[in-house]
């Protein structure tokens, strides 16, 4: 699944366009490397997002096309 779509489905970022812009600005790292929005995300990947002064680091546990709001937390775990 594309990185921008995963960020939206997992609700780490609210909108796909915002996720796309964050990737273009170089604020999203996958496995320690700056990632474009089109990077393929799979279980076991480490995603790091820079929100201003705050960094969020998560490990991808599962990849699903659609998920309920309550189940979105099950797609990743905070590191």
């Amino acid at each position: 699944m594309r990185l921008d779509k995963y960020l939206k489905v997992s609700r780490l970022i609210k909108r796909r366009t915002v996720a796309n812009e964050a990737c273009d600005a170089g604020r999203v790292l996958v496995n320690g490397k700056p990632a474009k929005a089109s990077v393929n995300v799979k279980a076991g990947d480490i995603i790091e997002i820079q929100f201003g002064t705050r960094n969020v680091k998560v490990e991808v546990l599962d990849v699903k096309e659609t998920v309920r709001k309550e189940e979105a937390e099950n797609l990743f775990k905070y590191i």
Side-chain angles (χ1 to χ4, degrees):
M1 173 186 289
R2 287 175 54 105
L3 175 59
D4 57 346
K5 184 166 183 181
Y6 179 81
L7 292 173
K8 186 216 178 286
V9 170
S10 66
R11 290 171 172 78
L12 284 166
I13 296 181
K14 269 198 169 163
R15 290 183 199 87
R16 192 164 172 181
T17 53
V18 175
N20 224 314
E21 290 164 3
C23 293
D24 291 343
R27 296 194 317 260
V28 181
L29 308 175
V30 175
N31 297 326
K33 297 179 190 137
K36 292 185 178 179
S38 60
V39 165
N40 217 11
V41 176
K42 59 193 175 308
D45 284 347
I46 306 294
I47 300 175
E48 199 171 335
I49 310 166
Q50 298 158 352
F51 291 111
T53 58
R54 198 168 63 100
N55 276 7
V56 175
K57 196 171 187 180
V58 297
E59 179 182 349
V60 178
L61 298 178
D62 199 4
V63 178
K64 292 184 180 174
E65 287 295 316
T66 57
V67 70
R68 284 186 147 138
K69 188 168 141 184
E70 304 83 42
E71 298 163 0
E73 285 270 320
N74 300 334
L75 295 179
F76 61 89
K77 74 172 179 185
Y78 289 102
I79 300 175

